[in-house]
Amino acid sequence: MALYPLLRPLVFRLDAETAHRATIAALKWLPKRRVPSFPASLTTSIGGLGFPSPVGLAAGFDKDAEVAAAMLGLGFGFVEVGTLTPRPQVGNPRPRLFRLAEDQAVINRMGFNNRGQADALGRLASRDRSRGIVGVNIGANKDSPDRIADYVAGVRAMSPVADYLTINISSPNTPGLRQLQDEGALRALLSAVGDARTVGGPPVFLKLAPDLGEGEPDQIVRIAIQHGIDALIIANTTTSRPALRSRHAMESGGLSGKPLKSFATDALYRFRSASGGAIPLIAAGGIDSADDAWARIRTGASLVQLYSAMIYQGPGLARRIAAGLADKVAREGMASINDAVGLDAGR
């Protein structure tokens, strides 16, 4: 991990997707690391799960559930794999992943490329669940005639092997997918998902876009609570394009990394205002330091997720952020990081 600043120029000579696949391959061959211990002050409970650290790996890095154990060993408090669809899917044509190094950002239009839920099922079933929490992010196939049926199939297939499930309706790279955030479609989807859940099954989270209109957070929160959703993940990538310096700035797809920070933070604030703390929130988008994570927690997030920042800062980032959060809890004289959740929500 300490060598990453030296390795990064070599990694960046490869195109972004090739570098990512090489990283996954390397992680599969690395010796298994002991899962680090975290201060008790960082423990957070959501949906009946005890998260040892609030710093998690967002979906998109480990699409096919190949290296979850390795990422837990690198200091993530939990790992979310996927997005996994019922059937294998090649995704969109390459190139479809772009580093915006000058902006510390990424644009992707991957299109839920993955080998399908059946392919990942065996790896997830055989994992050592004592190593930590692994959530499974599920989506619909691009050519599906019934996307709600795809989510139902995902819930049924992946519930036995997931510590939690994430219903991903927020990717901008599957045409029409974000329309499932509309009121009628969302009610139909969450009703079907609720019918597919079994007693004692994993908690279910809902991942949303930051690009929402006036009043939509209130509507989504109300529907999510009515249908027993356990947490909301705020937020996925944005289709907006703030001022960017990279030559890839106008590539189509979802923007993540540092420029997403303001969009994601604003969306988190709106969802916290809409919910008043009635449903747990998980912050994602543009988090690259303990200060960022702390600000999202004080805005109302119980957990945070990162991915793009790791491309620029290396795999030790999760452990550094966790250590920074523990230090902030101690400096504030708090017994638990949970005491900080939402402290700035009304400001």
Side-chain angles (χ1 to χ4, degrees):
M1 292 186 290
L3 293 175
Y4 188 74
L6 299 176
L7 293 174
R8 193 176 75 173
L10 300 177
V11 173
F12 276 30
R13 288 181 183 177
L14 302 172
D15 73 84
E17 188 165 353
T18 299
H20 179 258
R21 288 308 313 166
T23 299
I24 296 294
L27 286 166
K28 289 165 71 172
W29 284 101
L30 283 177
K32 184 183 291 186
R33 286 173 170 265
R34 183 170 56 87
V35 175
S37 57
F38 299 98
S41 62
L42 294 183
T43 300
T44 299
S45 293
I46 290 181
L49 297 175
F51 294 81
S53 162
V55 184
L57 178 65
F61 179 83
D62 188 10
K63 287 180 175 291
D64 287 301
E66 298 173 281
V67 294
M71 300 312 289
L72 289 167
L74 287 173
F76 284 93
F78 61 102
V79 167
E80 188 169 312
V81 302
T83 299
L84 289 164
T85 54
R87 291 176 285 107
Q89 184 161 281
V90 297
N92 293 321
R94 297 179 67 167
R96 54 192 180 179
L97 183 64
F98 306 89
R99 297 187 205 94
L100 284 67
E102 299 89 343
D103 305 292
Q104 293 188 47
V106 172
I107 290 175
N108 92 83
R109 51 174 180 263
M110 303 298 287
F112 285 173
N113 59 303
N114 72 106
R115 299 198 294 268
Q117 290 164 4
D119 178 82
L121 197 61
R123 287 187 294 279
L124 288 166
S126 63
R127 69 185 173 92
D128 180 358
R129 297 184 80 148
S130 70
R131 284 184 64 84
I133 292 173
V134 176
V136 178
N137 183 302
I138 59 175
N141 283 108
K142 181 179 180 178
D143 60 354
S144 173
D146 186 344
R147 287 180 172 169
I148 290 179
D150 275 16
Y151 285 101
V152 168
V155 170
R156 289 176 174 158
M158 307 314 291
S159 285
V161 297
D163 292 315
Y164 70 84
L165 291 170
T166 293
I167 307 298
N168 185 0
I169 56 173
S170 56
S171 171
N173 301 316
T174 297
L177 188 74
R178 287 188 172 185
Q179 293 174 10
L180 288 171
Q181 296 175 140
D182 297 342
E183 182 174 9
L186 185 59
R187 288 189 183 279
L189 170 64
L190 297 189
S191 178
V193 166
D195 290 342
R197 297 176 70 175
T198 58
V199 176
V204 174
F205 303 164
L206 181 66
K207 188 166 186 176
L208 299 159
D211 311 306
L212 295 172
E214 190 69 29
E216 286 188 276
D218 301 81
Q219 176 180 287
I220 290 169
V221 164
R222 185 172 62 252
I223 296 169
I225 291 174
Q226 289 172 352
H227 287 86
I229 295 300
D230 295 281
L232 304 177
I233 301 178
I234 316 294
N236 208 326
T237 58
T238 182
T239 55
S240 299
R241 291 293 183 269
L244 299 169
R245 294 176 293 164
S246 170
R247 64 188 176 91
H248 297 303
M250 299 314 296
E251 291 287 350
S252 63
L255 174 71
S256 61
K258 192 178 284 291
L260 178 57
K261 186 180 303 185
S262 61
F263 295 93
T265 302
D266 179 66
L268 177 66
Y269 179 83
R270 293 170 67 196
F271 273 95
R272 174 66 184 202
S273 297
S275 67
I279 186 169
L281 304 177
I282 300 166
I287 296 169
D288 62 6
S289 68
D291 286 343
D292 276 343
W294 184 245
R296 303 293 176 94
I297 289 166
R298 290 181 65 101
T299 301
S302 296
L303 304 172
V304 301
Q305 292 180 316
L306 57 92
Y307 169 11
S308 296
M310 190 171 58
I311 296 170
Y312 296 101
Q313 298 193 42
L317 182 59
R319 190 176 293 197
R320 293 195 297 273
I321 292 177
L325 290 176
D327 183 62
K328 290 178 183 295
V329 170
R331 287 175 181 268
E332 293 285 339
M334 298 175 178
S336 167
I337 198 163
N338 298 296
D339 298 334
V341 175
L343 282 180
D344 295 336
R347 299 182 184 180

